[in-house]
Amino acid sequence: MSEEKKLPRIEIIEKYCKGCYICVEFCPKKVLEMKGFVVSVKDLGACIKCMQCELRCPDFAIKVHAE
Amino acid sequence: MAYDYESRIRPGKLPHIWCPGCGHGIVMKGLIRAMDTLSLKKEETAIVSGIGCASRLPGYMDCCTLHTAHGRAAAFATGVKLARPEMNVILVGGDGDGTAIGGNHFIHACRRNIDMTYIIMNNYIYGMTGGQFSPATPTGHKASTTPYGNPDPAFDIVKLAIGAGATFVARGTAYHANQIDKLIAEAIQHKGFSVVEILDDCPTTYGRRNKYKSVVEMMNRLKDVAVPVKAAEKMSAEQLEGKILTGVLHKVERPEYCDEYAKVIERAGGNK
Ligand SMILES: Cc1ncc(C[n+]2csc(CCOP(=O)(O)OP(=O)(O)O)c2C)c(N)n1
Ligand code: SF4
Ligand code: SF4
Ligand code: SF4
Ligand SMILES: [Mg+2]
């Protein structure tokens, strides 16, 4: 495999997340899903590092670490 | 790179008290980015609020802050600005705080054109006290005090600010998060009284009563209803029916209050 895609690290601060679904819904690549009351990463490989989830989260609960 | 919001938040203050999906947190993040854009120093920046969920914002911010009486942010902030004209003074609050009990202070701050920025988070309701209607609640919509629909027309906060004499007026939405910091930064840079209305959401006391099934539905409504002022220029009246203009909607130059007051002091011989 020659594909050298550098994956971001998506940090979820579980004690801040209130499970509002904003990041899940407005992620253009459907990377995230709800697990119980807290968001979690379903498909990291699909992430395009657009930062939309981090930008809109009202609770400072999701961070996308990418170079 | 993940954005560093924490350096402008008082240690230990997160998680905040706002409900799941409440847009006030999105606005606070926009304000933090605007402060970073302008490299505002915390010792030289005062954030002043009244009372309400929106007015809780200063409590989280690591800078000079004042959480005052309901509707009175503009009065306290005017005192701060006159005493320390070199400070950046930013007012924050809700639609109820700013246009009901605080409506008088709001219009006169606009009229004075004192160099401060007012961020008004309009979620169309008194969120904190359980969803009573505010002067921004749309006609026909439900609140705890208008269970059969609100008979009153709503204030257009932008038009109110322009009519009262604010010299910079802009509008954004909680959905269009990446625009919030830009509007706030431009407002802070403007010399004179600047108003930034952010259309916001209160899922807990407004959304539920008005048939929004989720926070996402409320966000989608903001997404659909907003039209950037530039795009609106190319649209017909028909296409603009039911839409709300966003962006910088008013910008003029007019003498600023602190400068004018300094001249009064001069004329009265106060600096001798
Ligand atoms: C003098 C006075 N009257 C009434 C109240 C009760 N009160 C607290 S917050 C609020 C309304 C807040 O609405 P808004 O400013 O829209 O903020 P939101 O909670 O919606 O963010 C009211 C009426 C009060 N605290 N003080
Ligand atoms: S950075 Fe963009 S693509 Fe990646 S999870 Fe967030 S919203 Fe989805
Ligand atoms: S937007 Fe934030 S609070 Fe809402 S589900 Fe996503 S991480 Fe949690
Ligand atoms: S009651 Fe409404 S305005 Fe107050 S925190 Fe909850 S969602 Fe936000
Ligand atoms: Mg309100």
Side-chain angles (χ1 to χ4, degrees):
Chain A
M1 284 283 280
S2 60
E3 204 194 61
E4 283 278 326
K5 193 175 149 194
K6 213 155 185 251
L7 292 178
R9 182 168 67 85
I10 300 182
E11 179 190 359
I12 290 155
I13 305 159
E14 296 200 355
K15 64 178 179 185
Y16 295 174
C17 174
K18 293 175 186 160
C20 70
Y21 276 90
I22 288 177
C23 61
V24 176
E25 180 66 24
F26 296 108
C27 166
K29 294 292 170 187
K30 302 292 165 227
V31 171
L32 307 164
E33 67 178 344
M34 202 59 69
K35 271 219 173 119
F37 293 108
V38 175
V39 81
S40 82
V41 179
K42 179 178 68 180
D43 185 4
L44 188 64
C47 177
I48 53 168
K49 309 172 205 174
C50 67
M51 316 303 271
Q52 293 293 307
C53 52
E54 182 183 302
L55 186 69
R56 284 209 186 83
C57 170
D59 283 279
F60 303 80
I62 186 163
K63 288 175 179 288
V64 181
H65 300 279
E67 281 124 56
Chain B
M1 269 301 284
Y3 201 92
D4 172 23
Y5 291 101
E6 286 76 5
S7 59
R8 291 220 184 246
I9 294 178
R10 288 193 174 126
K13 283 287 182 181
L14 292 177
H16 56 59
I17 48 108
W18 294 314
C19 303
C22 174
H24 296 346
I26 301 175
V27 179
M28 185 159 88
K29 289 167 79 173
L31 171 59
I32 291 173
R33 295 194 303 275
M35 290 169 74
D36 287 343
T37 303
L38 303 177
S39 307
L40 299 192
K41 292 203 182 78
K42 60 181 178 180
E43 306 77 23
E44 294 168 3
T45 306
I47 306 183
V48 186
S49 71
I51 300 290
C53 296
S55 294
R56 296 288 298 250
L57 190 154
Y60 299 110
M61 298 290 299
D62 190 12
C63 60
C64 306
T65 61
L66 267 178
H67 189 189
T68 74
H70 197 23
R72 271 59 183 178
F76 286 84
T78 298
V80 172
K81 185 70 186 179
L82 270 178
R84 298 280 304 275
E86 73 283 6
M87 283 196 83
N88 304 293
V89 181
I90 301 163
L91 294 72
V92 298
D95 49 307
D97 185 75
T99 68
I101 192 167
N104 214 350
H105 294 285
F106 176 34
I107 57 175
H108 294 293
C110 293
R111 181 171 65 91
R112 271 192 170 142
N113 196 35
I114 184 160
D115 186 22
M116 315 193 287
T117 295
Y118 184 17
I119 302 164
I120 181 156
M121 289 165 249
N122 181 8
N123 57 11
Y124 316 101
I125 203 84
Y126 287 3
M128 176 170 269
T129 43
Q132 296 81 3
F133 75 123
S134 90
T137 306
T139 312
H141 285 221
K142 288 184 178 156
S144 66
T145 41
T146 57
Y148 302 102
N150 175 26
D152 291 345
F155 268 145
D156 179 327
I157 293 173
V158 162
K159 285 186 183 158
L160 181 65
I162 296 171
T167 48
F168 179 102
V169 184
R171 188 193 277 128
T173 88
Y175 172 80
H176 301 88
N178 62 351
Q179 196 193 22
I180 297 175
D181 51 322
K182 293 166 189 80
L183 294 176
I184 295 175
E186 196 175 339
I188 294 172
Q189 279 178 302
H190 175 81
K191 181 154 181 167
F193 196 73
S194 50
V195 177
V196 181
E197 178 192 20
I198 304 293
L199 301 179
D200 205 338
D201 67 302
C202 170
T204 305
T205 80
Y206 177 80
R208 279 189 306 148
R209 275 195 188 87
N210 289 287
K211 299 205 177 93
Y212 288 101
K213 288 193 198 74
S214 64
V215 168
V216 165
E217 233 181 64
M218 299 188 84
M219 285 288 154
N220 275 326
R221 183 238 156 212
L222 291 175
K223 181 181 173 185
D224 295 342
V225 89
V227 176
V229 64
K230 283 267 176 312
E233 284 166 11
K234 297 180 207 96
M235 289 167 71
S236 68
E238 221 164 60
Q239 289 171 310
L240 286 171
E241 181 76 32
K243 300 288 184 189
I244 301 176
L245 296 188
T246 56
V248 177
L249 303 170
H250 180 72
K251 193 174 162 126
V252 292
E253 300 295 324
R254 198 154 64 72
E256 189 274 330
Y257 186 73
C258 295
D259 288 350
E260 294 308 299
Y261 204 85
K263 290 180 198 164
V264 172
I265 294 172
E266 192 69 27
R267 287 199 294 274
N271 285 335
K272 285 192 191 115

